[in-house]
Amino acid sequence: MYISSLVESRLLQLKNPLEYTAHLEQGRSGMIQLDADGRILNFNQAASQICALEKEIVIGQRADIVFQGYGDKFLRVFDMTNQEEINSLNIRIKGRNVCLEIDRLLLAGEGRPSGMVVILNDVSSTYAGIKQLQTVHMLHSLGELAKQLFDIKSSSIGEVESYMRLILARVRENGSSESSYLLKRAINEAVHINTVVRELLFMANSPMSKKTGVTINGLLDEAALLVFRGLGGENVNYNKNLANGLPELYGDANALKQVFINIMQNALEAMTAEGVLTVKSWLDAEKNMIVVNIADTGVGIPKDVMERVFEPFYGTKDHHAGLGLAFVERIVQEHHGIVQIGPGERKGTDVLIYLPITGTVTGGARRLRGRSIQ
């Protein structure tokens, strides 16, 4: 009666363990064989890699003792009285997240199972790929929404921003500090809305419109002018050191300018009272790349935030969470470049962007975060 109930719960049975024991070591799946008392009889190499345990240590030990640090959900896999159907499981093994597909095969005995074989497949990479595809699909959907918002609202928001700037100029002439403050806040919100819509379009749907003759120093000057005009920055000193004679690049000038705008905008917002925004450019002849360094003396990025700075819609700014550095990373990668972000020498944040002169870089695009910049 007990065995029939196990069959109904979709746990499989094998009558002859010798039919599969010889294949344990050769299988690509992790296979763990238990006896009737839950002791581990076989533990193949794949299981050793998945579970991060040596075979010699676990053989002869009870599974509930060996895996007691792997969580209650994983322990239930080895409970022969557990009729719960367990097909997949996300667990943490030795500091890494692992996604497992699981099959349990009961061995028929007289009155009760004579043992069990647990088959584990690590599908973490597949799971990560699916999550990435889901993210791309989400961004594509957001891009479609952004297109509609852009078609309907972009001109209106731009007009509102222009009108507010005119009013702000007149208010300043009349000397009303409170009205001036409120108008500046309203302008900042309009700038933010325009930025998010523009980023969504770039991230989801807009292909790069690359051309020859892109001058990095010119884009940096334009970006600085737009940022300081849009956000103020009256108490921030602008330290510019752009190398002369830099070669022109092949790329999307508008996209790269938006990258510099985003980084400078973050820098100004990080310097709430006063500070220094430093912008440098130079040629790294050894790497055959142009390097742009944008540094601020603001509050810096907390360590717990640093690991997530490239995630879309993640940030510490309550009202201004957007694509931010995710957009920056996407555009730089489209230009086969490298983004490096880390703490400044004394305080604040340093961002380094490497852009290859030839349009490609050996090893492909990558990002580095949380490291000091030399």
Side-chain angles (χ1 to χ4, degrees):
M1 192 67 182
Y2 178 78
I3 295 297
S4 63
S5 65
L6 290 176
V7 172
E8 291 174 359
S9 68
R10 300 178 65 183
L11 294 178
L12 303 179
Q13 300 180 62
L14 295 178
K15 294 183 179 180
N16 186 4
L18 296 178
E19 292 178 358
Y20 60 85
T21 301
H23 301 287
L24 278 173
E25 288 300 329
Q26 301 175 3
R28 295 183 179 179
S29 301
M31 303 185 73
I32 305 172
Q33 181 186 356
L34 310 179
D35 65 13
D37 297 322
R39 297 184 182 277
I40 299 175
L41 299 178
N42 285 296
F43 193 78
N44 73 348
Q45 185 176 359
S48 177
Q49 292 176 347
I50 292 172
C51 300
L53 291 170
E54 295 295 333
K55 178 177 180 179
E56 294 75 13
I57 297 176
V58 303
I59 293 296
Q61 303 295 320
R62 289 178 56 89
D64 57 352
I65 296 177
V66 171
F67 300 114
Q68 61 183 344
Y70 289 63
D72 293 338
K73 291 182 179 179
F74 194 59
L75 287 178
R76 287 201 293 270
V77 172
F78 302 94
D79 183 357
M80 297 182 207
T81 65
N82 178 22
Q83 299 185 32
E84 176 187 0
E85 186 175 352
I86 304 175
N87 296 322
S88 62
L89 196 62
N90 291 314
I91 63 173
R92 191 165 181 84
I93 299 177
K94 299 296 177 64
R96 64 188 182 96
N97 295 320
V98 180
C99 182
L100 298 175
E101 285 187 351
I102 301 171
D103 287 305
R104 300 191 294 167
L105 288 79
L106 283 173
L107 308 180
E110 296 183 1
R112 71 188 186 103
S114 62
M116 173 190 282
V117 174
V118 176
I119 304 173
L120 306 175
N121 284 292
D122 186 350
V123 294
S124 301
S125 58
T126 303
Y127 181 72
I130 292 173
K131 288 187 67 176
Q132 185 174 6
L133 287 174
Q134 290 174 337
T135 301
V136 171
H137 178 72
M138 176 196 69
L139 290 174
H140 179 78
S141 300
L142 288 173
E144 292 295 328
L145 174 60
K147 274 187 174 181
Q148 298 178 33
L149 291 174
F150 188 80
D151 293 338
I152 297 172
K153 297 293 185 182
S154 62
S155 60
S156 299
I157 295 173
E159 288 179 7
V160 169
E161 181 183 343
S162 298
Y163 289 140
M164 285 191 295
R165 291 188 186 279
L166 290 173
I167 296 171
L168 177 61
R170 294 179 181 177
V171 168
R172 283 174 172 170
E173 292 176 359
N174 296 329
S176 175
S177 59
E178 182 179 359
S179 298
S180 176
Y181 169 77
L182 294 174
L183 279 170
K184 286 178 66 176
R185 288 290 302 271
I187 291 171
N188 288 347
E189 294 302 322
V191 169
H192 174 65
I193 293 171
N194 272 328
T195 299
V196 172
V197 171
R198 186 166 52 247
E199 288 174 352
L200 284 170
L201 286 171
F202 269 116
M203 288 285 285
N205 289 300
S206 296
M208 293 292 99
S209 179
K210 295 181 180 180
K211 298 179 182 179
T212 56
V214 175
T215 58
I216 290 299
N217 286 350
L219 296 180
L220 289 170
D221 283 337
E222 292 177 20
L225 179 63
L226 290 171
V227 169
F228 274 86
R229 188 175 66 186
L231 293 181
E234 293 87 353
N235 299 321
V236 174
N237 293 322
Y238 182 41
N239 179 21
K240 182 175 70 170
N241 186 7
L242 307 182
N244 295 322
L246 292 179
E248 295 179 339
L249 297 183
Y250 173 73
D252 188 320
N254 288 329
L256 288 173
K257 181 167 67 176
Q258 189 60 46
V259 163
F260 301 145
I261 289 174
N262 281 24
I263 297 174
M264 292 181 189
Q265 182 173 309
N266 286 342
L268 257 65
E269 291 176 351
M271 296 181 286
T272 54
E274 59 184 18
V276 179
L277 175 65
T278 301
V279 177
K280 300 179 182 178
S281 68
W282 67 89
L283 174 65
D284 189 325
E286 184 178 347
K287 294 184 175 67
N288 199 31
M289 305 177 86
I290 290 178
V291 187
V292 173
N293 179 208
I294 301 175
D296 65 68
T297 57
V299 295
I301 302 176
K303 292 182 178 180
D304 58 332
V305 176
M306 184 67 73
E307 291 300 318
R308 301 183 62 186
V309 293
F310 290 101
E311 293 184 18
F313 301 104
Y314 178 80
T316 57
K317 295 175 286 187
D318 295 338
H319 303 295
H320 281 174
L323 294 177
L325 289 175
F327 169 83
V328 168
E329 181 188 41
R330 160 73 186 278
I331 300 304
V332 174
Q333 285 182 344
E334 289 286 344
H335 288 80
H336 305 285
I338 299 168
V339 182
Q340 180 172 329
I341 183 168
E345 293 182 1
R346 297 180 180 178
K347 62 177 182 177
T349 302
D350 272 12
V351 179
L352 276 172
I353 297 175
Y354 292 82
L355 295 169
I357 297 173
T358 59
T360 59
V361 59
T362 304
R366 60 192 176 96
R367 69 186 181 211
L368 303 174
R369 60 181 103 172
R371 296 173 56 181
S372 297
I373 296 174
Q374 305 298 324

